[in-house]
Amino acid sequence: MPRRPDPLKDLLDLQERMNHLFDETLSRGGIDELGAATPGWAPLADVFDTPGAYLLEIELPGLAQDSIDVQVRGRELTVRGERHPAGGRSATFQRLERQYGPFMRTFRFDVEIDADDVRAEIRDGLLNLVVPKLEPQGGRRIKASRL
């Protein structure tokens, strides 16, 4: 006797396939803080808010300093680069678990930042950025006197 179709099982199978598709797609890239898709892969980052500056630590193992580009525009800081496998394109890989290719991360801050004084240093696969905050350009308080 033939089995009756089970619409619930078909729906659950479809959901599982869709979840797998989304997992594969997002593992090749990511979503930045602005909600935009990022190319390639997205390095992990920690952002600390101190009274005078933001401190960023971004994991970039295997990248040289000259392969990283840091740009500041307004309240946003963008880090771009590309990581290539050590074997190059002519090598045949038996296993390739780390992510390669271009990456981009954009960070938006709550206050204006000093683009001229951003400092970056890469050491032991960790990009450290010090992003100074600009002092607010508030007005002066004037005390009224009697006329």
Side-chain angles (χ1 to χ4, degrees):
M1 183 160 141
R3 289 182 47 205
R4 290 180 17 160
D6 184 355
L8 183 58
K9 182 181 181 322
D10 293 341
L11 186 60
L12 291 173
D13 288 343
L14 177 62
Q15 181 181 7
E16 187 175 326
R17 288 194 306 247
M18 292 295 288
N19 287 343
H20 182 68
L21 177 66
F22 282 119
D23 288 343
E24 278 187 7
T25 303
L26 291 177
S27 71
R28 289 189 200 113
I31 304 295
D32 67 10
E33 284 75 11
L34 306 176
T38 59
W41 57 284
L44 300 176
D46 292 332
V47 180
F48 303 94
D49 186 354
T50 67
Y54 294 101
L55 308 175
L56 286 80
E57 294 180 347
I58 304 172
E59 291 183 5
L60 297 173
L63 266 72
Q65 186 171 356
D66 60 347
S67 65
I68 301 168
D69 179 45
V70 179
Q71 294 181 357
V72 176
R73 177 175 288 156
R75 292 182 179 190
E76 293 180 2
L77 179 135
T78 300
V79 179
R80 288 185 176 92
E82 187 166 356
R83 182 166 59 191
H84 302 281
R89 293 193 173 148
S90 62
T92 302
F93 297 99
Q94 182 167 351
R95 181 179 298 236
L96 197 60
E97 294 182 354
R98 296 188 301 162
Q99 295 178 327
Y100 297 96
F103 69 88
M104 180 180 76
R105 292 290 310 262
T106 299
F107 303 90
R108 180 177 284 158
F109 301 104
D110 294 335
V111 299
E112 292 293 323
I113 54 179
D114 187 355
D116 296 329
D117 202 21
V118 173
R119 295 185 311 273
E121 176 186 69
I122 189 160
R123 185 177 21 176
D124 297 330
L126 196 63
L127 175 64
N128 293 292
L129 294 159
V130 178
V131 184
K133 299 176 183 178
L134 282 177
E135 293 296 321
Q137 300 297 323
R140 284 187 329 169
R141 182 175 289 249
I142 299 172
K143 188 170 184 166
S145 60
R146 290 186 172 211
L147 297 175

